[in-house]
Amino acid sequence: MNTEASLIFIIAAFVLGGVILMYRNSLSAPLRRPLAITAIVFILFAFFLIVYSLTTMGS
C-alpha cells in the first residue's frame, strides 16, 4: 500500500469536509447536498484507510 498517496488522500478528505462545513451558508442550495454526500463518502473512506493501515502496520 502506498502510504504517501493514502496520507495525501486522508488530508485532502478532511480539508474538503472542513471547507464545506465552514462555507455551508455561502454554497448554493443545489450544490450543498451533493458536496456534503461526497465529503462524507471521502471521509468514511479516509477512516477506513486509517484503520486498515493501523491493522496492517505490524505485517
Side-chain angles (χ1 to χ4, degrees), residues 2-57:
N2 192 354
T3 56
E4 293 175 6
S6 297
L7 185 64
I8 291 171
F9 176 78
I10 291 167
I11 292 170
F14 284 111
V15 168
L16 175 67
V19 167
I20 289 175
L21 278 176
M22 286 189 295
Y23 293 107
R24 67 180 175 258
N25 293 330
S26 64
L27 291 172
S28 65
L31 283 179
R32 251 184 241 154
R33 185 174 301 252
L35 280 177
I37 290 172
T38 56
I40 289 171
V41 170
F42 285 164
I43 290 171
L44 286 176
F45 189 64
F47 273 122
F48 169 75
L49 286 176
I50 290 169
V51 171
Y52 180 74
S53 67
L54 287 175
T55 56
T56 60
M57 193 181 302

